[in-house]
Amino acid sequence: MTATLSNFRATAPAPGPPQPYRFPRVARETLPNGLRVLVAENHNAPLAALRALVRSGAGYDTAETAGLALLTAELLDEGAGSRDGIQIAEDLGLLGGAIATGADWDATYVSVDLLSRNLRPAMPIFADVTYRPTFPAGELERVRVERINDILQQRDEPSAVASIRFAHLLYGDGVYGSPTLGTAESVSRITADDVHRFFRMHVIPNNSSVIVTGDIEAGAVFDEVRRAFAAWTPGPAPAPPSISPRPIDACRIYLIDKPGAVQSELRVGHLGVPRACEDYFALSIMNGLLGGIFNSRINLNLRERHRYTYGARSQFGYRRQAGPFLVNVPVRNEVTREAITEVLDELRRIRTGDVEEHELDHTKSYFIGVFPATVQTAGDIAGRLLDMEVYDLPEDYFDHYRENIAAVTRDDVTRVAQKYIDPDRAIIVVVGNAEQVRAPLAQLGYAVHELDVDGKEIA
């Protein structure tokens, strides 16, 4: 009996077939002012999620105004309509709700999560924050100081420095080349006029969507949204920004000294693809197998086989335009060169067609298995609808998500790896102790450029 029990505990049960899943039905309406409204009922819990999406984000920042989109977004709930920031938080708190605002590369967001029975009194507050902010001058200065402090702290964080320098090396001073936070210099330059100008140009109903999900009744929600947002005035749609990535003709190493550091932060990569790429599902599986999940090749190689790191991963930065493909890994100083070699070897190997059926099946099973857990709550479903709106995905996109993942083949993995992964034309950023890693890096045979923390080349 003991042996049988021991064997039972040592053997994982075989997975069963995926349970049926269908994404909630989504009701849609466009108001006369151009505002798109999406409503999805989900009666699992007495909660509701309200999201306002503006299809303009940090992609519209310039090198001179880097950080403007996020700064504007953070000020939305610091005063709106007749309420100041404290009143907004208190009034929503009394309704069992909380608010958040923010921006990424592609969009600006306002989020309210609350008890569904209080949706009606919350809707006017939600609308005020979305399109009637007051941008108090004192709050602008407070948020500016906080932002600059955050930026200055990042200068001492090797991980942040590596990511910022990689982006600038790939995109230059153009779109995606500066951090969404901005720089200390650019944030210092942003004025109240800049904030108001960005808001007027971009936060317009014909550039926006409102999404409501949860334990609600769709018809009643449409009535509330019409009432709260009907006075929002449309304007000229902003022209989309365009990226201008720098060409990469060979692998190059960029070394940024971090005296006294005991490990190096590595970034290895190049230009990726936009979110709307036709090969998205094959790329998801290829990257999952390569470095996107815990049992991926890069992580098992560097963490389990060689013990160079606690964790390594690869990722495509999916955005409206082509974001980066990169491998992120912190390693001990003494194995920096070896870690780079292993990463590049794995990038080359994935292109050869050397894909075992068991690892392909494991990766697909992981994506298929975790998907239902990502669409359970009102907030989860709202997040998926945001993706559909930002990236113009088909209305039945998530209905067919799992079958599209299941359809990916070994040939698909090889094809997209050969098409989108180029280990011989990669940017390699190393933030670490230059005294310890400089000589080993030179042995790799690539040009080594030493930069300061601001990206200026050191002679």
Side-chain angles (χ1 to χ4, degrees), residues 233-248:
T233 305
S242 59
I243 62 172
S244 53
R246 293 171 169 173
I248 306 172

Side-chain angles (χ1 to χ4, degrees), residues 37-121:
V37 185
L38 289 76
V39 180
E41 297 184 19
N42 174 21
H43 302 287
N44 293 338
L47 302 172
L50 286 67
R51 303 290 185 266
L53 158 72
V54 179
R55 294 177 189 81
S56 296
Y60 286 90
D61 289 350
T62 66
E64 291 72 27
T65 63
L68 175 59
L70 185 55
L71 188 66
T72 302
E74 290 182 350
L75 288 168
L76 293 175
D77 63 345
E78 296 296 341
S82 61
R83 298 175 177 86
D84 61 20
I86 294 175
Q87 288 174 310
I88 290 170
E90 288 181 346
D91 287 353
L92 284 173
L94 292 172
L95 299 173
I99 190 167
T101 60
D104 58 23
W105 287 112
D106 295 321
T108 298
Y109 306 92
V110 177
S111 303
V112 171
D113 295 282
L114 77 162
L115 295 170
S116 54
R117 67 173 182 265
N118 293 327
L119 184 144
R120 183 171 186 175

Side-chain angles (χ1 to χ4, degrees), residues 9 18 56-57 81 85 88-89 127 140 169 178 185 194 214 224-225 256 266 294 353 375 382 387 418 448:
R9 289 172 173 169
S56 296
I88 290 170
L140 170 59
L169 288 164
S178 299
E185 293 77 14
D194 293 326
E224 296 299 330
V225 173
I256 300 161
L266 308 183
F294 184 82
V375 285
D387 287 343
Q418 292 175 348
V448 178

Side-chain angles (χ1 to χ4, degrees), residues 149-169:
N149 287 337
D150 291 340
I151 292 169
L152 294 177
Q153 288 177 5
Q154 285 190 343
R155 293 171 63 86
D156 292 325
E157 298 175 7
S159 177
V161 172
S163 296
I164 291 169
R165 295 277 59 84
F166 178 91
H168 191 260
L169 288 164

Side-chain angles (χ1 to χ4, degrees), residues 106 273-281 284 317-323 384 387-388 390-393 397-398 401:
D106 295 321
V273 299
R275 175 61 176 82
C277 176
E278 62 183 359
D279 291 316
Y280 174 81
F281 291 102
S284 295
Y318 291 116
R319 300 168 189 169
R320 192 175 291 141
Q321 301 183 71
R384 295 294 185 170
D387 287 343
M388 293 175 70
V390 173
Y391 303 115
D392 298 318
L393 304 178
Y397 184 86
F398 291 110
Y401 179 89

Side-chain angles (χ1 to χ4, degrees), residues 68 71-72 75-76 79 132-137 140 190-204:
L68 175 59
L71 188 66
T72 302
L75 288 168
L76 293 175
R132 296 192 188 100
T134 54
F135 297 123
L140 170 59
I190 293 172
T191 66
D193 286 344
D194 293 326
V195 171
H196 285 278
R197 186 180 307 111
F198 183 91
F199 181 83
R200 288 194 306 270
M201 289 180 60
H202 298 282
V203 186
I204 51 178

